[in-house]
Amino acid sequence: MEDIKYRAYKFSLNVIKFLKEQNWKDRVNEPFFKLLIRSSTSIGANVIEGRSGNSDKEMACYYRIPLKSANETKYWFCLMRDALEIRDAQMKKLLNEADEISKIIASSIVTITKKLKAKSTTSKP
């Protein structure tokens, strides 16, 4: 299984490449594109930051940020798909990848939280 930090990085690159192919000149499109770039690139950056934490508790807290960014990214893709009527195969792939990334991050949070709970119950006298 590919490490989430590399997967998130590749995802960010693919979003940027996808948006470079779209029509930036339309004043309606530009805000969507800027918000999508911000949220999609935030995922990997915050995964990296979360991994540099000093503890599992800190990592679980930081992982909530990229989870929110992944969910926000899905929102912007859906809004672009429906409002701007961009319905190509690449957008569908990116939306699916954003969904998978959010599920991986959510699963990581659950795993870390269970680990923390297990530690706290075994360390009690």
Side-chain angles (χ1 to χ4, degrees):
M1 185 170 164
E2 187 175 21
D3 190 319
I4 188 63
K5 69 180 180 181
Y6 297 114
R7 191 164 176 177
Y9 180 82
K10 283 188 211 175
F11 175 69
S12 296
L13 283 176
N14 289 331
V15 169
I16 291 167
K17 289 176 184 178
F18 170 76
L19 291 175
K20 282 173 68 175
E21 296 171 0
Q22 303 303 312
N23 180 9
W24 278 87
K25 297 187 186 343
D26 187 326
R27 290 186 338 172
V28 173
N29 296 357
E30 188 175 349
F32 285 108
F33 293 173
K34 286 182 178 182
L35 290 164
L36 187 55
I37 285 174
R38 186 194 53 76
S39 65
S40 64
T41 57
S42 172
I43 299 166
N46 284 297
V47 165
I48 297 294
E49 189 172 358
R51 286 195 167 178
S52 8
N54 295 324
S55 67
D56 286 338
K57 184 177 181 180
E58 194 173 333
M59 185 175 174
C61 287
Y62 271 104
Y63 264 38
R64 286 178 176 81
I65 298 167
L67 177 59
K68 290 176 184 181
S69 293
N71 288 331
E72 180 183 352
T73 298
K74 292 189 299 184
Y75 174 82
W76 292 123
F77 268 127
C78 289
L79 199 56
M80 284 175 60
R81 178 196 62 205
D82 298 340
L84 305 178
E85 298 178 353
I86 301 173
R87 302 198 190 284
D88 65 14
Q90 182 63 18
M91 177 180 253
K92 187 174 181 178
K93 281 177 61 178
L94 290 169
L95 180 55
N96 287 338
E97 180 66 359
D99 190 48
E100 286 185 32
I101 287 172
S102 70
K103 288 176 182 176
I104 291 167
I105 294 169
S107 176
S108 296
I109 293 169
V110 169
T111 300
I112 295 166
T113 303
K114 285 181 182 178
K115 182 178 168 184
L116 289 169
K117 285 182 182 177
K119 280 184 184 178
S120 70
T121 58
T122 57
S123 64
K124 291 183 180 178

